[in-house]
Amino acid sequence: ATTGIYTLSLPDALPIYLFEVEPGEDEETNPRMYGRQLSNWLRKKLIEKGYEVEEVIPEDWGWCVMCAREPFMLWVGCSSLTDYETAKAGDPPPETEKIIWSCFVTAEVPFFKSIFKKMNTEPSLLKLSTHLEEIINSEKRITVINEP
């Protein structure tokens, strides 16, 4: 189950950018898929909210912030939105102020656990989604351009 996706941008007028693209970070994901700094920032904020968050995990679609593994996996996905129509192999990373970020909350019940017991992930999804929304909205330099 996945909640809605938050699409974020950082206004051009700000001289300080909250999340930079780190050199070579898309070598751990897929070309032009960024978000390590966003994921690490969210990890820190979720720890402050009481989650026992692992180190961020690179995935082919971006970065995973694992908040729990039991009784099911509960995590936040973070990535940059990439326009593969205009981006070409070998292009440098986009300018920081032009990156649009995306975050989403997901709960995954392992197949074998789902066979033996129905697990209600909704309360945990709602709680994490609420915390994500609070974290995002508390940072005045972030503009939410699409809310779930």
Side-chain angles (χ1 to χ4, degrees):
T2 302
T3 62
I5 297 173
Y6 289 86
T7 308
L8 317 172
S9 72
L10 302 173
D12 295 346
L14 294 172
I16 299 170
Y17 300 109
L18 197 53
F19 315 118
E20 301 279 339
V21 171
E22 295 179 4
E25 78 171 271
D26 62 339
E27 293 170 9
E28 296 182 66
T29 56
N30 263 328
R32 303 185 72 79
M33 297 302 295
Y34 309 108
R36 184 182 353 223
Q37 286 192 6
L38 168 59
S39 298
N40 280 318
W41 176 78
L42 280 175
R43 178 181 182 271
K44 178 182 168 219
K45 297 293 186 181
L46 289 165
I47 289 170
E48 290 172 7
K49 295 266 186 199
Y51 291 88
E52 294 182 23
V53 183
E54 298 176 13
E55 293 296 322
V56 299
I57 304 164
E59 295 283 354
D60 59 350
W61 45 261
W63 295 85
C64 175
V65 183
M66 185 65 68
C67 298
R69 289 193 180 266
E70 292 295 333
F72 48 82
M73 291 185 288
L74 182 65
W75 50 273
V76 178
C78 302
S79 70
S80 57
L81 299 182
T82 301
D83 182 2
Y84 286 110
E85 299 291 321
T86 59
K88 297 175 191 73
D91 281 354
E95 296 174 32
T96 301
E97 66 272 12
K98 293 185 178 176
I99 295 175
I100 296 176
W101 302 103
S102 178
C103 300
F104 56 94
V105 175
T106 299
E108 290 182 68
V109 178
F111 176 71
F112 289 109
K113 284 186 179 182
S114 67
I115 291 174
F116 299 109
K117 182 178 179 184
K118 170 95 171 98
M119 291 195 181
N120 183 6
T121 62
E122 292 305 314
S124 297
L125 276 172
L126 180 59
K127 179 181 176 184
L128 182 54
S129 294
T130 300
H131 285 146
L132 178 62
E133 184 176 357
E134 289 170 2
I135 290 166
I136 290 169
N137 288 331
S138 71
E139 176 52 64
K140 300 302 178 206
R141 295 177 287 178
I142 293 176
T143 300
V144 177
I145 57 177
N146 185 22
E147 280 190 71

